[in-house]
Amino acid sequence: MIIIPVIHVNMWKGISEDAVEKIIEGITHVFVDMGIPSQAVEVIVHEIPKSHWGIDGKPATKSRPNSIPP
Amino acid sequence: MIIIPVIHVNMWKGISEDAVEKIIEGITHVFVDMGIPSQAVEVIVHEIPKSHWGIDGKPATKSRPNSIPP
Amino acid sequence: MIIIPVIHVNMWKGISEDAVEKIIEGITHVFVDMGIPSQAVEVIVHEIPKSHWGIDGKPATKSRPNSIPP
Amino acid sequence: MIIIPVIHVNMWKGISEDAVEKIIEGITHVFVDMGIPSQAVEVIVHEIPKSHWGIDGKPATKSRPNSIPP
Amino acid sequence: MIIIPVIHVNMWKGISEDAVEKIIEGITHVFVDMGIPSQAVEVIVHEIPKSHWGIDGKPATKSRPNSIPP
Amino acid sequence: MIIIPVIHVNMWKGISEDAVEKIIEGITHVFVDMGIPSQAVEVIVHEIPKSHWGIDGKPATKSRPNSIPP
């Protein structure tokens, strides 16, 4: 079976390279567990500045000033 | 009612922080008006350089040279 | 100024036609207020079944059984 | 820390409800492992008919006729 | 060189299977011309009902009543 | 007929301006061939660093170290 999932992850900018790698590994593993070969899984991580991520009607820089990406 | 809309906005790079904030506020308000709590509305603003935004078969740097983001 | 924002809205399936129309009108208005002509604003509404929308590690059919779209 | 990742998964239409649930659980778990609360993780699964998924220059109905979603 | 572009196409619902196939073939060809193997190019076509596609502040069912997808 | 396709292209960061222009021209042409006017076709090119593009369970910087964008 060759099925080809494409996953887009949207995260806050400033995430560490190590965290990006863990996200890619972990998400790919979910699909490998279902019998999909790892080379068929594409995980695309989009980094969005906190100023451009709105929650609660405001940029996260204002509504979540103390939260930082992993 | 807790429904959780996710909104992706694609705009030209160079938009002011103030304009981003107005977009987040305004879009969130549309959903709040429908009875959805503001903390459940996520607005993600993607900035795309004009050179990477094609319209009329050409990058906007060429097909819309005089337009600038708000 | 002709700038051309593209907005993707992700909502739960079952939303009324009237609510879709209000979302399109309201979001367009946010950009018109910034000086962008309404015919340049594209709003694309994706309806996602609650069974395919995960929150809290479970499909919303299970984690938000009593919530219904507007 | 309240960071709010949004994940869009694109899969072939016909995937079982059970597989969708495993994808949501598994992906959420990746972020929980990083210290993000599960109720902050949104996983949106888009089902795309094989006829509308192109690989190798053809719809997957033609280039991958024998593959079926999990 | 194995680079792996992922292309999402958003079109109006009702497009013919033949048109979908032409879109997949044509877009893949653009990347093949640049030296990327066709089996590395993924084209995902999302069909959106005209009622859910806003242009000019209204659903396309109202603002573009006479336009039909190819 | 005025139909308005929106195309999102995801590529590796580092692609040349010339390649971006060819992608925009080529993809627009696919739709023009179907009778859609070029000024109605929007092509948005997202550049993703190889470190943020997962394939085979690893960032492409590791799983595809020798591949470079066109």
Side-chain angles (χ1 to χ4, degrees):
Chain A
M1 181 189 60
I2 307 198
I3 190 171
I4 316 154
V6 171
I7 300 98
H8 292 273
V9 177
N10 295 276
M11 287 286 284
W12 288 353
K13 199 177 179 66
I15 184 173
S16 70
E17 290 284 302
D18 189 56
V20 171
E21 201 160 337
K22 280 200 179 109
I23 290 169
I24 290 170
E25 276 177 15
I27 291 181
T28 303
H29 194 69
V30 173
F31 294 94
V32 168
D33 266 358
M34 303 172 77
I36 298 170
S38 65
Q39 64 270 31
V41 182
E42 295 200 53
V43 181
I44 303 172
V45 180
H46 302 263
E47 277 193 287
I48 311 291
K50 278 182 69 176
S51 59
H52 287 52
W53 190 296
I55 182 72
D56 210 0
K58 285 187 277 288
T61 38
K62 298 193 172 177
S63 56
R64 302 281 186 277
N66 300 320
S67 294
I68 53 165
Chain B
M1 182 189 60
I2 307 198
I3 190 170
I4 318 154
V6 171
I7 300 97
H8 291 274
V9 177
N10 296 275
M11 285 286 284
W12 288 354
K13 200 178 177 67
I15 184 175
S16 70
E17 291 285 302
D18 188 55
V20 171
E21 202 161 336
K22 281 202 180 107
I23 289 169
I24 290 170
E25 276 177 14
I27 292 180
T28 303
H29 194 69
V30 172
F31 294 94
V32 168
D33 265 357
M34 302 172 77
I36 298 171
S38 66
Q39 64 269 30
V41 182
E42 295 201 52
V43 181
I44 303 172
V45 180
H46 302 264
E47 276 193 286
I48 312 290
K50 278 181 68 175
S51 59
H52 287 54
W53 189 296
I55 184 70
D56 209 0
K58 285 187 277 288
T61 37
K62 296 192 174 178
S63 56
R64 301 282 186 276
N66 300 319
S67 294
I68 53 165
Chain C
M1 183 189 59
I2 305 199
I3 190 170
I4 318 156
V6 171
I7 299 100
H8 291 273
V9 177
N10 296 274
M11 286 287 283
W12 288 355
K13 199 179 176 67
I15 184 175
S16 70
E17 291 284 302
D18 188 55
V20 172
E21 202 160 336
K22 281 201 179 107
I23 289 168
I24 291 170
E25 277 177 13
I27 291 180
T28 303
H29 193 70
V30 172
F31 293 95
V32 169
D33 266 358
M34 302 172 77
I36 299 170
S38 66
Q39 63 269 31
V41 181
E42 295 201 52
V43 181
I44 303 173
V45 180
H46 302 263
E47 275 194 288
I48 311 291
K50 277 182 68 176
S51 58
H52 287 53
W53 189 295
I55 182 71
D56 209 2
K58 285 187 276 288
T61 38
K62 297 192 173 179
S63 57
R64 300 283 187 274
N66 300 320
S67 294
I68 52 164
Chain D
M1 182 189 60
I2 306 198
I3 190 171
I4 317 155
V6 171
I7 300 98
H8 291 273
V9 177
N10 296 276
M11 286 285 285
W12 288 354
K13 200 177 177 65
I15 185 174
S16 70
E17 292 283 302
D18 188 57
V20 172
E21 202 161 338
K22 281 202 179 106
I23 289 169
I24 290 170
E25 277 177 15
I27 291 180
T28 303
H29 194 70
V30 173
F31 294 94
V32 168
D33 266 358
M34 302 173 78
I36 298 171
S38 65
Q39 63 270 31
V41 182
E42 295 201 53
V43 181
I44 303 173
V45 180
H46 302 263
E47 278 193 287
I48 311 291
K50 279 182 67 176
S51 58
H52 287 52
W53 190 295
I55 182 73
D56 210 0
K58 284 187 278 289
T61 38
K62 297 195 173 175
S63 57
R64 300 283 188 274
N66 300 320
S67 294
I68 53 164
Chain E
M1 181 190 60
I2 306 199
I3 189 171
I4 317 155
V6 171
I7 300 98
H8 292 273
V9 178
N10 295 277
M11 286 285 284
W12 288 354
K13 200 178 178 65
I15 183 174
S16 70
E17 291 285 301
D18 189 55
V20 172
E21 202 161 336
K22 280 201 180 107
I23 289 169
I24 290 170
E25 277 178 14
I27 291 180
T28 303
H29 194 69
V30 172
F31 294 94
V32 168
D33 266 358
M34 301 172 79
I36 298 170
S38 65
Q39 63 269 31
V41 182
E42 295 202 52
V43 181
I44 303 173
V45 180
H46 302 263
E47 276 193 287
I48 311 291
K50 277 182 68 175
S51 58
H52 287 52
W53 189 297
I55 182 73
D56 209 0
K58 285 187 277 289
T61 38
K62 297 192 173 177
S63 56
R64 300 284 188 272
N66 299 320
S67 294
I68 52 166
Chain F
M1 182 189 57
I2 306 199
I3 191 171
I4 318 155
V6 171
I7 300 98
H8 291 273
V9 177
N10 295 276
M11 287 286 284
W12 288 354
K13 199 176 176 68
I15 184 174
S16 70
E17 291 284 302
D18 189 54
V20 172
E21 201 161 336
K22 281 201 178 108
I23 289 169
I24 290 170
E25 277 177 13
I27 291 180
T28 303
H29 193 69
V30 172
F31 293 94
V32 168
D33 266 357
M34 303 172 78
I36 298 170
S38 66
Q39 63 270 31
V41 181
E42 294 200 53
V43 181
I44 303 172
V45 180
H46 302 263
E47 277 193 287
I48 312 290
K50 278 182 68 176
S51 59
H52 287 54
W53 190 295
I55 182 72
D56 210 0
K58 283 187 279 288
T61 37
K62 297 193 173 177
S63 57
R64 303 281 187 276
N66 300 319
S67 293
I68 52 164

